[in-house]
Amino acid sequence: MKTLLVAESRQGKLLNASYELIAFADTFGADKVMILVGSEDNLPKFDGRLYLADAGTFGEYNPDAHKKLILDVAAKEAPDMVVFCHSSYGWDLAPRVAFALQAAQVSEVAGIHDGNLVVPVCNAKLRRQVRTTSARTVVTLQAGAFGIGTEPVGLPEVQMLTADAAGNIVFEGYEPAEIGGVDLGKAEVIVSAGRGIGKPEHIAMIADLAKALGGEYGASRPVVDAEWAEHHRQVGTTGQTVAPKLYIACGISGAVQHLAGMKKSEFIVAVNTDKDAPIGDEADVLVVADLKQFVPLLTERIQAL
Ligand SMILES: Cc1cc2nc3c(=O)[nH]c(=O)nc-3n(C[C@H](O)[C@H](O)[C@H](O)COP(=O)(O)OP(=O)(O)OC[C@H]3O[C@@H](n4cnc5c(N)ncnc54)[C@H](O)[C@@H]3O)c2cc1C
């Protein structure tokens, strides 16, 4: 099995998620070659062949041009699988490449089970297992699902790509999203509310605990979707990525999209009524309790110190 890994860079910087592609290929011992539209100054640490196209020439975002570059490398390397991150870049490019290669495409792969690709469905409440029957497969990987593995090492053997690859889209630049209210990335303590809080009134007890600890409160996506908390408080793949000293997850099950946004926290406490909730695998301490009882008591104790 040979994989072509499509690494990503943004604003001249290699994205760490590129290493998840390597971790994915390593789970089934595949051969790897990599392609990157990026910069010579910011190469992935990788023992293998890297096809590099200069982002200055080909544009950081130019699906037509990038597709052509990937297809040129695919023609040369004949990979069985082309692997993208499930990012705005990957989910835009992957179907274009799959169509051109007449390959099966599986989006947002979160795992491998018995050789099948595992994909979350129904807001990650179920997992679908699929396998492809075409000669080639194009996949996108869910952020955080495969991790970065061991500390990346190695020096790639670089082959510069010089194809004539114009496109119909001109990338004009980025417009940073406004971070309204709080920047969770700067908080040393975050107490987050999950669906387990049950109703919007209970956000106040999460906010109180965060305040008592001198921190900020965050939320999982269902809490934000229900408009119980503002979007800038969402933690996870479609929210903020945080790494505070202390992260307290209250009524949060530990879906991979949430974990991707907080698992680098120094110390994680989870409060959950379910002792088998997946967050328990990531937490340093799992408190099996009803948050409606536990959180106000803890706040009271901290305030009394
Ligand atoms: C493309 C995509 C992107 C996504 N991005 C994000 C993202 O950025 N961030 C994010 O969070 N999610 C994201 N999700 C959603 C994610 O898959 C999960 O659905 C979500 O994280 C679940 O939120 P939750 O843990 O709050 O709720 P649930 O999974 O419903 O978990 C609730 C938990 O509360 C516990 N509980 C219930 N009552 C109590 C109580 N009284 N006391 C204590 N515990 C209690 C339950 O045991 C359970 O473990 C995304 C999904 C998709 C498909």
Side-chain angles (χ1 to χ4, degrees), residues 37 58-72 89 92-93 96-97 100 163-170:
V37 183
F58 293 99
E60 195 158 285
Y61 174 80
N62 187 336
D64 295 329
H66 293 200
K67 179 183 84 175
K68 185 163 188 319
L69 291 165
I70 293 166
L71 292 178
D72 285 353
Y89 180 79
D92 191 345
L93 259 181
R96 298 168 194 259
V97 170
D164 170 24
N168 295 325
I169 295 175
V170 178

mmCIF file of all heavy atoms in Angstrom, residues 37 58-72 89 92-93 96-97 100 163-170:
data_model
loop_
_atom_site.group_PDB
_atom_site.id
_atom_site.type_symbol
_atom_site.label_atom_id
_atom_site.label_comp_id
_atom_site.label_asym_id
_atom_site.label_seq_id
_atom_site.Cartn_x
_atom_site.Cartn_y
_atom_site.Cartn_z
ATOM 1 N N VAL A 37 2.453 22.307 -0.868
ATOM 2 C CA VAL A 37 2.594 23.631 -1.488
ATOM 3 C C VAL A 37 2.923 24.545 -0.319
ATOM 4 O O VAL A 37 2.062 24.847 0.507
ATOM 5 C CB VAL A 37 1.302 24.064 -2.209
ATOM 6 C CG1 VAL A 37 1.533 25.416 -2.889
ATOM 7 C CG2 VAL A 37 0.877 23.025 -3.231
ATOM 8 N N PHE A 58 2.623 29.156 -6.667
ATOM 9 C CA PHE A 58 1.354 28.473 -6.943
ATOM 10 C C PHE A 58 0.192 28.990 -6.106
ATOM 11 O O PHE A 58 -0.939 28.557 -6.276
ATOM 12 C CB PHE A 58 1.522 26.961 -6.736
ATOM 13 C CG PHE A 58 2.446 26.351 -7.751
ATOM 14 C CD1 PHE A 58 3.764 26.096 -7.443
ATOM 15 C CD2 PHE A 58 1.994 26.084 -9.033
ATOM 16 C CE1 PHE A 58 4.622 25.555 -8.391
ATOM 17 C CE2 PHE A 58 2.840 25.542 -9.986
ATOM 18 C CZ PHE A 58 4.164 25.277 -9.659
ATOM 19 N N GLY A 59 0.494 29.881 -5.191
ATOM 20 C CA GLY A 59 -0.588 30.425 -4.364
ATOM 21 C C GLY A 59 -0.872 29.495 -3.204
ATOM 22 O O GLY A 59 -0.768 28.275 -3.318
ATOM 23 N N GLU A 60 -1.218 30.099 -2.064
ATOM 24 C CA GLU A 60 -1.479 29.268 -0.888
ATOM 25 C C GLU A 60 -2.810 28.533 -1.027
ATOM 26 O O GLU A 60 -2.987 27.438 -0.550
ATOM 27 C CB GLU A 60 -1.505 30.158 0.352
ATOM 28 C CG GLU A 60 -1.410 29.353 1.592
ATOM 29 C CD GLU A 60 -0.900 30.176 2.755
ATOM 30 O OE1 GLU A 60 0.296 30.487 2.837
ATOM 31 O OE2 GLU A 60 -1.744 30.498 3.588
ATOM 32 N N TYR A 61 -3.745 29.173 -1.698
ATOM 33 C CA TYR A 61 -5.037 28.527 -1.934
ATOM 34 C C TYR A 61 -5.380 28.702 -3.399
ATOM 35 O O TYR A 61 -5.685 29.815 -3.851
ATOM 36 C CB TYR A 61 -6.114 29.170 -1.052
ATOM 37 C CG TYR A 61 -7.487 28.630 -1.358
ATOM 38 C CD1 TYR A 61 -7.895 27.405 -0.842
ATOM 39 C CD2 TYR A 61 -8.349 29.302 -2.202
ATOM 40 C CE1 TYR A 61 -9.134 26.881 -1.157
ATOM 41 C CE2 TYR A 61 -9.594 28.792 -2.516
ATOM 42 C CZ TYR A 61 -9.977 27.586 -1.990
ATOM 43 O OH TYR A 61 -11.201 27.058 -2.304
ATOM 44 N N ASN A 62 -5.273 27.637 -4.133
ATOM 45 C CA ASN A 62 -5.593 27.681 -5.557
ATOM 46 C C ASN A 62 -5.950 26.254 -5.972
ATOM 47 O O ASN A 62 -5.096 25.508 -6.451
ATOM 48 C CB ASN A 62 -4.391 28.205 -6.353
ATOM 49 C CG ASN A 62 -4.746 28.417 -7.808
ATOM 50 O OD1 ASN A 62 -5.686 27.801 -8.316
ATOM 51 N ND2 ASN A 62 -4.000 29.273 -8.481
ATOM 52 N N PRO A 63 -7.203 25.838 -5.747
ATOM 53 C CA PRO A 63 -7.565 24.433 -5.934
ATOM 54 C C PRO A 63 -7.241 23.893 -7.326
ATOM 55 O O PRO A 63 -6.826 22.746 -7.453
ATOM 56 C CB PRO A 63 -9.068 24.392 -5.676
ATOM 57 C CG PRO A 63 -9.457 25.717 -5.178
ATOM 58 C CD PRO A 63 -8.317 26.666 -5.299
ATOM 59 N N ASP A 64 -7.425 24.717 -8.355
ATOM 60 C CA ASP A 64 -7.154 24.200 -9.710
ATOM 61 C C ASP A 64 -5.674 23.872 -9.870
ATOM 62 O O ASP A 64 -5.300 22.801 -10.336
ATOM 63 C CB ASP A 64 -7.550 25.248 -10.770
ATOM 64 C CG ASP A 64 -9.047 25.504 -10.753
ATOM 65 O OD1 ASP A 64 -9.797 24.571 -10.435
ATOM 66 O OD2 ASP A 64 -9.448 26.645 -11.032
ATOM 67 N N ALA A 65 -4.834 24.850 -9.455
ATOM 68 C CA ALA A 65 -3.392 24.649 -9.601
ATOM 69 C C ALA A 65 -2.899 23.521 -8.698
ATOM 70 O O ALA A 65 -2.121 22.667 -9.126
ATOM 71 C CB ALA A 65 -2.660 25.952 -9.271
ATOM 72 N N HIS A 66 -3.400 23.490 -7.463
ATOM 73 C CA HIS A 66 -2.929 22.468 -6.526
ATOM 74 C C HIS A 66 -3.388 21.078 -6.963
ATOM 75 O O HIS A 66 -2.677 20.099 -6.803
ATOM 76 C CB HIS A 66 -3.389 22.788 -5.103
ATOM 77 C CG HIS A 66 -2.750 24.024 -4.546
ATOM 78 N ND1 HIS A 66 -2.675 24.293 -3.208
ATOM 79 C CD2 HIS A 66 -2.132 25.076 -5.157
ATOM 80 C CE1 HIS A 66 -2.058 25.452 -3.010
ATOM 81 N NE2 HIS A 66 -1.730 25.944 -4.182
ATOM 82 N N LYS A 67 -4.586 21.026 -7.513
ATOM 83 C CA LYS A 67 -5.077 19.733 -8.018
ATOM 84 C C LYS A 67 -4.133 19.216 -9.103
ATOM 85 O O LYS A 67 -3.742 18.051 -9.101
ATOM 86 C CB LYS A 67 -6.490 19.888 -8.596
ATOM 87 C CG LYS A 67 -7.047 18.591 -9.145
ATOM 88 C CD LYS A 67 -8.398 18.762 -9.785
ATOM 89 C CE LYS A 67 -8.252 19.229 -11.223
ATOM 90 N NZ LYS A 67 -9.525 19.297 -11.935
ATOM 91 N N LYS A 68 -3.728 20.116 -9.983
ATOM 92 C CA LYS A 68 -2.846 19.688 -11.081
ATOM 93 C C LYS A 68 -1.513 19.173 -10.525
ATOM 94 O O LYS A 68 -0.995 18.144 -10.973
ATOM 95 C CB LYS A 68 -2.624 20.851 -12.050
ATOM 96 C CG LYS A 68 -1.820 20.425 -13.238
ATOM 97 C CD LYS A 68 -1.914 21.380 -14.386
ATOM 98 C CE LYS A 68 -1.241 20.843 -15.649
ATOM 99 N NZ LYS A 68 0.016 20.174 -15.447
ATOM 100 N N LEU A 69 -0.995 19.882 -9.531
ATOM 101 C CA LEU A 69 0.274 19.445 -8.924
ATOM 102 C C LEU A 69 0.123 18.042 -8.314
ATOM 103 O O LEU A 69 0.967 17.165 -8.497
ATOM 104 C CB LEU A 69 0.704 20.429 -7.825
ATOM 105 C CG LEU A 69 1.132 21.821 -8.311
ATOM 106 C CD1 LEU A 69 1.179 22.796 -7.134
ATOM 107 C CD2 LEU A 69 2.489 21.762 -8.996
ATOM 108 N N ILE A 70 -0.993 17.835 -7.609
ATOM 109 C CA ILE A 70 -1.217 16.522 -6.955
ATOM 110 C C ILE A 70 -1.373 15.428 -8.009
ATOM 111 O O ILE A 70 -0.827 14.328 -7.877
ATOM 112 C CB ILE A 70 -2.454 16.603 -6.029
ATOM 113 C CG1 ILE A 70 -2.157 17.538 -4.848
ATOM 114 C CG2 ILE A 70 -2.854 15.226 -5.517
ATOM 115 C CD1 ILE A 70 -3.390 17.969 -4.065
ATOM 116 N N LEU A 71 -2.100 15.756 -9.081
ATOM 117 C CA LEU A 71 -2.308 14.738 -10.125
ATOM 118 C C LEU A 71 -0.995 14.387 -10.815
ATOM 119 O O LEU A 71 -0.746 13.222 -11.144
ATOM 120 C CB LEU A 71 -3.342 15.227 -11.144
ATOM 121 C CG LEU A 71 -4.773 15.353 -10.609
ATOM 122 C CD1 LEU A 71 -5.703 15.891 -11.689
ATOM 123 C CD2 LEU A 71 -5.294 14.019 -10.073
ATOM 124 N N ASP A 72 -0.120 15.388 -10.999
ATOM 125 C CA ASP A 72 1.195 15.115 -11.615
ATOM 126 C C ASP A 72 1.990 14.138 -10.748
ATOM 127 O O ASP A 72 2.598 13.194 -11.236
ATOM 128 C CB ASP A 72 2.001 16.417 -11.776
ATOM 129 C CG ASP A 72 1.472 17.259 -12.934
ATOM 130 O OD1 ASP A 72 0.585 16.763 -13.673
ATOM 131 O OD2 ASP A 72 1.926 18.412 -13.076
ATOM 132 N N TYR A 89 -9.024 23.337 3.313
ATOM 133 C CA TYR A 89 -8.169 23.045 2.149
ATOM 134 C C TYR A 89 -8.454 21.625 1.641
ATOM 135 O O TYR A 89 -8.685 21.406 0.454
ATOM 136 C CB TYR A 89 -6.718 23.193 2.597
ATOM 137 C CG TYR A 89 -5.667 22.942 1.536
ATOM 138 C CD1 TYR A 89 -5.350 23.912 0.590
ATOM 139 C CD2 TYR A 89 -4.963 21.742 1.517
ATOM 140 C CE1 TYR A 89 -4.354 23.684 -0.358
ATOM 141 C CE2 TYR A 89 -3.964 21.505 0.581
ATOM 142 C CZ TYR A 89 -3.666 22.477 -0.357
ATOM 143 O OH TYR A 89 -2.680 22.249 -1.292
ATOM 144 N N ASP A 92 -11.989 20.831 0.199
ATOM 145 C CA ASP A 92 -12.193 21.469 -1.102
ATOM 146 C C ASP A 92 -11.460 20.687 -2.195
ATOM 147 O O ASP A 92 -12.015 20.389 -3.257
ATOM 148 C CB ASP A 92 -11.655 22.910 -1.008
ATOM 149 C CG ASP A 92 -12.036 23.755 -2.201
ATOM 150 O OD1 ASP A 92 -12.450 23.181 -3.215
ATOM 151 O OD2 ASP A 92 -11.908 24.985 -2.117
ATOM 152 N N LEU A 93 -10.213 20.315 -1.906
ATOM 153 C CA LEU A 93 -9.383 19.669 -2.925
ATOM 154 C C LEU A 93 -9.693 18.191 -3.128
ATOM 155 O O LEU A 93 -9.639 17.688 -4.256
ATOM 156 C CB LEU A 93 -7.917 19.770 -2.496
ATOM 157 C CG LEU A 93 -7.056 20.827 -3.151
ATOM 158 C CD1 LEU A 93 -5.643 20.728 -2.604
ATOM 159 C CD2 LEU A 93 -7.018 20.633 -4.657
ATOM 160 N N ARG A 96 -12.118 17.058 -5.826
ATOM 161 C CA ARG A 96 -11.617 17.373 -7.175
ATOM 162 C C ARG A 96 -10.606 16.313 -7.612
ATOM 163 O O ARG A 96 -10.625 15.841 -8.749
ATOM 164 C CB ARG A 96 -10.924 18.747 -7.187
ATOM 165 C CG ARG A 96 -11.843 19.906 -6.818
ATOM 166 C CD ARG A 96 -10.998 21.167 -6.572
ATOM 167 N NE ARG A 96 -11.759 22.214 -5.919
ATOM 168 C CZ ARG A 96 -12.288 23.274 -6.541
ATOM 169 N NH1 ARG A 96 -12.120 23.415 -7.820
ATOM 170 N NH2 ARG A 96 -12.951 24.177 -5.869
ATOM 171 N N VAL A 97 -9.722 15.942 -6.679
ATOM 172 C CA VAL A 97 -8.685 14.953 -6.995
ATOM 173 C C VAL A 97 -9.331 13.573 -7.184
ATOM 174 O O VAL A 97 -9.000 12.845 -8.117
ATOM 175 C CB VAL A 97 -7.619 14.929 -5.864
ATOM 176 C CG1 VAL A 97 -6.668 13.767 -6.025
ATOM 177 C CG2 VAL A 97 -6.860 16.253 -5.835
ATOM 178 N N ALA A 100 -10.970 13.372 -10.559
ATOM 179 C CA ALA A 100 -9.981 13.271 -11.646
ATOM 180 C C ALA A 100 -9.337 11.885 -11.698
ATOM 181 O O ALA A 100 -9.020 11.387 -12.767
ATOM 182 C CB ALA A 100 -8.912 14.349 -11.459
ATOM 183 N N ALA A 163 5.636 22.499 -12.385
ATOM 184 C CA ALA A 163 4.587 22.402 -13.411
ATOM 185 C C ALA A 163 3.968 23.770 -13.701
ATOM 186 O O ALA A 163 3.958 24.655 -12.846
ATOM 187 C CB ALA A 163 3.512 21.451 -12.932
ATOM 188 N N ASP A 164 3.439 23.883 -14.891
ATOM 189 C CA ASP A 164 2.714 25.102 -15.253
ATOM 190 C C ASP A 164 1.279 24.887 -14.765
ATOM 191 O O ASP A 164 0.525 24.142 -15.377
ATOM 192 C CB ASP A 164 2.776 25.260 -16.769
ATOM 193 C CG ASP A 164 1.853 26.355 -17.245
ATOM 194 O OD1 ASP A 164 1.550 27.247 -16.432
ATOM 195 O OD2 ASP A 164 1.437 26.307 -18.414
ATOM 196 N N ALA A 165 0.954 25.484 -13.652
ATOM 197 C CA ALA A 165 -0.346 25.173 -13.056
ATOM 198 C C ALA A 165 -1.078 26.436 -12.655
ATOM 199 O O ALA A 165 -1.096 26.828 -11.506
ATOM 200 C CB ALA A 165 -0.148 24.254 -11.862
ATOM 201 N N ALA A 166 -1.668 27.067 -13.640
ATOM 202 C CA ALA A 166 -2.466 28.258 -13.333
ATOM 203 C C ALA A 166 -3.850 27.788 -12.884
ATOM 204 O O ALA A 166 -4.188 26.622 -12.994
ATOM 205 C CB ALA A 166 -2.576 29.123 -14.559
ATOM 206 N N GLY A 167 -4.659 28.675 -12.369
ATOM 207 C CA GLY A 167 -6.009 28.279 -11.971
ATOM 208 C C GLY A 167 -6.963 29.432 -12.193
ATOM 209 O O GLY A 167 -6.563 30.527 -12.577
ATOM 210 N N ASN A 168 -8.239 29.172 -11.915
ATOM 211 C CA ASN A 168 -9.245 30.222 -12.112
ATOM 212 C C ASN A 168 -9.528 31.007 -10.848
ATOM 213 O O ASN A 168 -10.373 31.884 -10.840
ATOM 214 C CB ASN A 168 -10.545 29.577 -12.600
ATOM 215 C CG ASN A 168 -10.358 28.959 -13.969
ATOM 216 O OD1 ASN A 168 -9.619 29.501 -14.789
ATOM 217 N ND2 ASN A 168 -10.974 27.821 -14.199
ATOM 218 N N ILE A 169 -8.857 30.627 -9.761
ATOM 219 C CA ILE A 169 -9.117 31.318 -8.497
ATOM 220 C C ILE A 169 -7.860 32.058 -8.071
ATOM 221 O O ILE A 169 -6.759 31.494 -8.079
ATOM 222 C CB ILE A 169 -9.534 30.311 -7.406
ATOM 223 C CG1 ILE A 169 -10.882 29.674 -7.780
ATOM 224 C CG2 ILE A 169 -9.630 30.974 -6.037
ATOM 225 C CD1 ILE A 169 -11.347 28.588 -6.856
ATOM 226 N N VAL A 170 -8.014 33.292 -7.716
ATOM 227 C CA VAL A 170 -6.867 34.070 -7.238
ATOM 228 C C VAL A 170 -7.027 34.274 -5.741
ATOM 229 O O VAL A 170 -8.048 34.784 -5.282
ATOM 230 C CB VAL A 170 -6.802 35.445 -7.950
ATOM 231 C CG1 VAL A 170 -5.638 36.266 -7.409
ATOM 232 C CG2 VAL A 170 -6.682 35.257 -9.458
#
